[in-house]
mmCIF file of all heavy atoms in Angstrom:
data_model
loop_
_atom_site.group_PDB
_atom_site.id
_atom_site.type_symbol
_atom_site.label_atom_id
_atom_site.label_comp_id
_atom_site.label_asym_id
_atom_site.label_seq_id
_atom_site.Cartn_x
_atom_site.Cartn_y
_atom_site.Cartn_z
ATOM 1 N N VAL H 1 58.633 166.702 124.787
ATOM 2 C CA VAL H 1 58.317 167.318 123.493
ATOM 3 C C VAL H 1 58.521 166.302 122.379
ATOM 4 O O VAL H 1 57.704 166.211 121.431
ATOM 5 C CB VAL H 1 59.165 168.568 123.278
ATOM 6 C CG1 VAL H 1 58.998 169.082 121.837
ATOM 7 C CG2 VAL H 1 58.766 169.646 124.271
ATOM 8 N N ALA H 2 59.589 165.489 122.457
ATOM 9 C CA ALA H 2 59.848 164.489 121.455
ATOM 10 C C ALA H 2 58.731 163.426 121.416
ATOM 11 O O ALA H 2 58.309 162.972 120.345
ATOM 12 C CB ALA H 2 61.189 163.819 121.697
ATOM 13 N N VAL H 3 58.245 163.041 122.594
ATOM 14 C CA VAL H 3 57.164 162.069 122.661
ATOM 15 C C VAL H 3 55.891 162.635 122.026
ATOM 16 O O VAL H 3 55.213 161.964 121.219
ATOM 17 C CB VAL H 3 56.909 161.631 124.104
ATOM 18 C CG1 VAL H 3 55.615 160.820 124.210
ATOM 19 C CG2 VAL H 3 58.090 160.815 124.648
ATOM 20 N N VAL H 4 55.560 163.865 122.360
ATOM 21 C CA VAL H 4 54.372 164.507 121.789
ATOM 22 C C VAL H 4 54.513 164.623 120.276
ATOM 23 O O VAL H 4 53.564 164.337 119.513
ATOM 24 C CB VAL H 4 54.138 165.894 122.426
ATOM 25 C CG1 VAL H 4 53.011 166.634 121.727
ATOM 26 C CG2 VAL H 4 53.807 165.720 123.911
ATOM 27 N N ALA H 5 55.693 165.016 119.818
ATOM 28 C CA ALA H 5 55.922 165.134 118.377
ATOM 29 C C ALA H 5 55.815 163.762 117.703
ATOM 30 O O ALA H 5 55.237 163.655 116.602
ATOM 31 C CB ALA H 5 57.302 165.731 118.124
ATOM 32 N N ALA H 6 56.338 162.731 118.349
ATOM 33 C CA ALA H 6 56.255 161.390 117.778
ATOM 34 C C ALA H 6 54.812 160.902 117.679
ATOM 35 O O ALA H 6 54.452 160.224 116.707
ATOM 36 C CB ALA H 6 57.097 160.414 118.606
ATOM 37 N N VAL H 7 54.018 161.233 118.662
ATOM 38 C CA VAL H 7 52.597 160.900 118.605
ATOM 39 C C VAL H 7 51.953 161.557 117.403
ATOM 40 O O VAL H 7 51.223 160.930 116.612
ATOM 41 C CB VAL H 7 51.886 161.307 119.885
ATOM 42 C CG1 VAL H 7 50.367 161.162 119.743
ATOM 43 C CG2 VAL H 7 52.371 160.443 121.066
ATOM 44 N N GLY H 8 52.220 162.870 117.195
ATOM 45 C CA GLY H 8 51.663 163.573 116.064
ATOM 46 C C GLY H 8 52.102 163.007 114.719
ATOM 47 O O GLY H 8 51.288 162.821 113.811
ATOM 48 N N VAL H 9 53.416 162.724 114.624
ATOM 49 C CA VAL H 9 53.936 162.157 113.384
ATOM 50 C C VAL H 9 53.358 160.776 113.111
ATOM 51 O O VAL H 9 52.992 160.430 111.965
ATOM 52 C CB VAL H 9 55.478 162.079 113.433
ATOM 53 C CG1 VAL H 9 56.033 161.280 112.248
ATOM 54 C CG2 VAL H 9 56.075 163.482 113.451
ATOM 55 N N SER H 10 53.197 159.946 114.150
ATOM 56 C CA SER H 10 52.629 158.621 114.000
ATOM 57 C C SER H 10 51.173 158.678 113.526
ATOM 58 O O SER H 10 50.754 157.895 112.678
ATOM 59 C CB SER H 10 52.693 157.842 115.312
ATOM 60 O OG SER H 10 54.009 157.455 115.621
ATOM 61 N N LEU H 11 50.421 159.650 114.043
ATOM 62 C CA LEU H 11 49.022 159.774 113.650
ATOM 63 C C LEU H 11 48.844 160.388 112.279
ATOM 64 O O LEU H 11 47.894 160.030 111.544
ATOM 65 C CB LEU H 11 48.298 160.593 114.708
ATOM 66 C CG LEU H 11 48.119 159.987 116.098
ATOM 67 C CD1 LEU H 11 47.494 160.991 117.043
ATOM 68 C CD2 LEU H 11 47.270 158.711 116.015
ATOM 69 N N ALA H 12 49.743 161.287 111.901
ATOM 70 C CA ALA H 12 49.521 162.060 110.677
ATOM 71 C C ALA H 12 50.348 161.622 109.489
ATOM 72 O O ALA H 12 49.929 161.741 108.337
ATOM 73 C CB ALA H 12 49.774 163.541 110.939
ATOM 74 N N VAL H 13 51.575 161.140 109.749
ATOM 75 C CA VAL H 13 52.503 160.937 108.642
ATOM 76 C C VAL H 13 53.072 159.534 108.590
ATOM 77 O O VAL H 13 52.988 158.816 107.571
ATOM 78 C CB VAL H 13 53.653 161.973 108.696
ATOM 79 C CG1 VAL H 13 54.615 161.774 107.501
ATOM 80 C CG2 VAL H 13 53.117 163.383 108.727
ATOM 81 N N TRP H 14 53.739 159.150 109.694
ATOM 82 C CA TRP H 14 54.532 157.913 109.684
ATOM 83 C C TRP H 14 54.244 157.120 110.952
ATOM 84 O O TRP H 14 54.786 157.393 112.020
ATOM 85 C CB TRP H 14 56.022 158.285 109.596
ATOM 86 C CG TRP H 14 56.946 157.126 109.330
ATOM 87 C CD1 TRP H 14 56.836 156.201 108.325
ATOM 88 C CD2 TRP H 14 58.119 156.777 110.074
ATOM 89 N NE1 TRP H 14 57.851 155.294 108.396
ATOM 90 C CE2 TRP H 14 58.670 155.628 109.460
ATOM 91 C CE3 TRP H 14 58.775 157.331 111.179
ATOM 92 C CZ2 TRP H 14 59.821 155.010 109.923
ATOM 93 C CZ3 TRP H 14 59.913 156.718 111.630
ATOM 94 C CH2 TRP H 14 60.441 155.571 110.997
ATOM 95 N N PRO H 15 53.397 156.102 110.889
ATOM 96 C CA PRO H 15 52.985 155.357 112.074
ATOM 97 C C PRO H 15 54.120 154.777 112.931
ATOM 98 O O PRO H 15 53.975 154.729 114.160
ATOM 99 C CB PRO H 15 52.126 154.228 111.487
ATOM 100 C CG PRO H 15 51.583 154.801 110.223
ATOM 101 C CD PRO H 15 52.681 155.672 109.663
ATOM 102 N N PRO H 16 55.251 154.382 112.404
ATOM 103 C CA PRO H 16 56.308 153.815 113.273
ATOM 104 C C PRO H 16 57.040 154.830 114.128
ATOM 105 O O PRO H 16 57.883 154.414 114.938
ATOM 106 C CB PRO H 16 57.276 153.196 112.246
ATOM 107 C CG PRO H 16 56.532 153.022 110.977
ATOM 108 C CD PRO H 16 55.551 154.150 110.974
ATOM 109 N N ALA H 17 56.777 156.124 114.034
ATOM 110 C CA ALA H 17 57.566 157.121 114.743
ATOM 111 C C ALA H 17 57.526 156.901 116.257
ATOM 112 O O ALA H 17 58.571 156.858 116.927
ATOM 113 C CB ALA H 17 57.091 158.525 114.405
ATOM 114 N N LEU H 18 56.345 156.772 116.801
ATOM 115 C CA LEU H 18 56.240 156.588 118.257
ATOM 116 C C LEU H 18 56.780 155.243 118.701
ATOM 117 O O LEU H 18 57.572 155.187 119.669
ATOM 118 C CB LEU H 18 54.801 156.760 118.727
ATOM 119 C CG LEU H 18 54.571 156.654 120.238
ATOM 120 C CD1 LEU H 18 55.363 157.717 120.988
ATOM 121 C CD2 LEU H 18 53.082 156.746 120.571
ATOM 122 N N PRO H 19 56.410 154.120 118.055
ATOM 123 C CA PRO H 19 57.038 152.863 118.464
ATOM 124 C C PRO H 19 58.555 152.858 118.368
ATOM 125 O O PRO H 19 59.231 152.276 119.210
ATOM 126 C CB PRO H 19 56.431 151.848 117.493
ATOM 127 C CG PRO H 19 55.152 152.442 117.062
ATOM 128 C CD PRO H 19 55.388 153.927 117.041
ATOM 129 N N LEU H 20 59.118 153.543 117.361
ATOM 130 C CA LEU H 20 60.559 153.606 117.214
ATOM 131 C C LEU H 20 61.189 154.357 118.382
ATOM 132 O O LEU H 20 62.197 153.904 118.963
ATOM 133 C CB LEU H 20 60.937 154.247 115.911
ATOM 134 C CG LEU H 20 62.456 154.401 115.631
ATOM 135 C CD1 LEU H 20 63.136 153.026 115.609
ATOM 136 C CD2 LEU H 20 62.681 155.152 114.328
ATOM 137 N N LEU H 21 60.619 155.491 118.750
ATOM 138 C CA LEU H 21 61.115 156.252 119.878
ATOM 139 C C LEU H 21 61.014 155.442 121.165
ATOM 140 O O LEU H 21 61.959 155.432 121.972
ATOM 141 C CB LEU H 21 60.346 157.577 120.015
ATOM 142 C CG LEU H 21 60.744 158.456 121.213
ATOM 143 C CD1 LEU H 21 62.199 158.911 121.085
ATOM 144 C CD2 LEU H 21 59.835 159.691 121.299
ATOM 145 N N ALA H 22 59.909 154.766 121.345
ATOM 146 C CA ALA H 22 59.701 153.944 122.541
ATOM 147 C C ALA H 22 60.718 152.802 122.595
ATOM 148 O O ALA H 22 61.270 152.491 123.672
ATOM 149 C CB ALA H 22 58.291 153.383 122.568
ATOM 150 N N ALA H 23 61.002 152.213 121.456
ATOM 151 C CA ALA H 23 61.977 151.089 121.418
ATOM 152 C C ALA H 23 63.386 151.597 121.747
ATOM 153 O O ALA H 23 64.127 150.933 122.478
ATOM 154 C CB ALA H 23 61.960 150.442 120.045
ATOM 155 N N ILE H 24 63.769 152.764 121.196
ATOM 156 C CA ILE H 24 65.083 153.304 121.489
ATOM 157 C C ILE H 24 65.228 153.616 122.973
ATOM 158 O O ILE H 24 66.243 153.306 123.630
ATOM 159 C CB ILE H 24 65.335 154.569 120.667
ATOM 160 C CG1 ILE H 24 65.435 154.232 119.178
ATOM 161 C CG2 ILE H 24 66.587 155.323 121.127
ATOM 162 C CD1 ILE H 24 65.443 155.449 118.252
ATOM 163 N N TYR H 25 64.165 154.197 123.566
ATOM 164 C CA TYR H 25 64.177 154.525 124.999
ATOM 165 C C TYR H 25 64.278 153.256 125.818
ATOM 166 O O TYR H 25 65.050 153.171 126.785
ATOM 167 C CB TYR H 25 62.924 155.317 125.372
ATOM 168 C CG TYR H 25 62.923 155.798 126.806
ATOM 169 C CD1 TYR H 25 63.411 157.050 127.121
ATOM 170 C CD2 TYR H 25 62.449 154.987 127.822
ATOM 171 C CE1 TYR H 25 63.414 157.504 128.442
ATOM 172 C CE2 TYR H 25 62.443 155.428 129.144
ATOM 173 C CZ TYR H 25 62.906 156.701 129.448
ATOM 174 O OH TYR H 25 62.941 157.125 130.741
ATOM 175 N N LEU H 26 63.505 152.229 125.444
ATOM 176 C CA LEU H 26 63.478 150.966 126.200
ATOM 177 C C LEU H 26 64.874 150.325 126.209
ATOM 178 O O LEU H 26 65.368 149.880 127.235
ATOM 179 C CB LEU H 26 62.464 150.032 125.588
ATOM 180 C CG LEU H 26 62.314 148.634 126.233
ATOM 181 C CD1 LEU H 26 61.860 148.762 127.680
ATOM 182 C CD2 LEU H 26 61.369 147.767 125.426
ATOM 183 N N VAL H 27 65.514 150.271 125.050
ATOM 184 C CA VAL H 27 66.823 149.646 124.946
ATOM 185 C C VAL H 27 67.852 150.402 125.805
ATOM 186 O O VAL H 27 68.656 149.837 126.519
ATOM 187 C CB VAL H 27 67.282 149.552 123.480
ATOM 188 C CG1 VAL H 27 68.753 149.140 123.393
ATOM 189 C CG2 VAL H 27 66.429 148.572 122.716
ATOM 190 N N ALA H 28 67.805 151.768 125.688
ATOM 191 C CA ALA H 28 68.736 152.589 126.465
ATOM 192 C C ALA H 28 68.517 152.426 127.959
ATOM 193 O O ALA H 28 69.493 152.331 128.738
ATOM 194 C CB ALA H 28 68.601 154.055 126.061
ATOM 195 N N ALA H 29 67.263 152.354 128.377
ATOM 196 C CA ALA H 29 66.974 152.204 129.800
ATOM 197 C C ALA H 29 67.415 150.852 130.312
ATOM 198 O O ALA H 29 68.038 150.739 131.393
ATOM 199 C CB ALA H 29 65.479 152.393 130.048
ATOM 200 N N LEU H 30 67.117 149.794 129.583
ATOM 201 C CA LEU H 30 67.528 148.466 130.028
ATOM 202 C C LEU H 30 69.042 148.355 130.069
ATOM 203 O O LEU H 30 69.612 147.716 130.956
ATOM 204 C CB LEU H 30 66.935 147.399 129.109
ATOM 205 C CG LEU H 30 65.416 147.201 129.212
ATOM 206 C CD1 LEU H 30 64.923 146.213 128.164
ATOM 207 C CD2 LEU H 30 65.034 146.713 130.636
ATOM 208 N N ALA H 31 69.741 148.963 129.104
ATOM 209 C CA ALA H 31 71.190 148.952 129.103
ATOM 210 C C ALA H 31 71.735 149.653 130.328
ATOM 211 O O ALA H 31 72.797 149.271 130.863
ATOM 212 C CB ALA H 31 71.713 149.606 127.820
ATOM 213 N N ALA H 32 71.018 150.681 130.814
ATOM 214 C CA ALA H 32 71.500 151.437 131.969
ATOM 215 C C ALA H 32 71.440 150.632 133.256
ATOM 216 O O ALA H 32 72.127 150.966 134.232
ATOM 217 C CB ALA H 32 70.641 152.705 132.135
ATOM 218 N N THR H 33 70.685 149.559 133.279
ATOM 219 C CA THR H 33 70.592 148.738 134.506
ATOM 220 C C THR H 33 71.694 147.704 134.561
ATOM 221 O O THR H 33 71.885 147.057 135.610
ATOM 222 C CB THR H 33 69.240 147.998 134.579
ATOM 223 O OG1 THR H 33 69.179 146.982 133.547
ATOM 224 C CG2 THR H 33 68.085 148.943 134.416
#
């Protein structure tokens, strides 16, 4: 749901929303390894 919402926000309001979410997820995932 957060990813879908970020896509909508990026397209309609604030373009960095989806890249920011993706970056946070990427850092957290890499840290988990």
Side-chain angles (χ1 to χ4, degrees):
V1 171
V3 170
V4 172
V7 170
V9 171
S10 288
L11 292 175
V13 181
W14 190 52
L18 182 61
L20 179 60
L21 178 62
I24 292 171
Y25 185 92
L26 179 63
V27 170
L30 289 175
T33 69

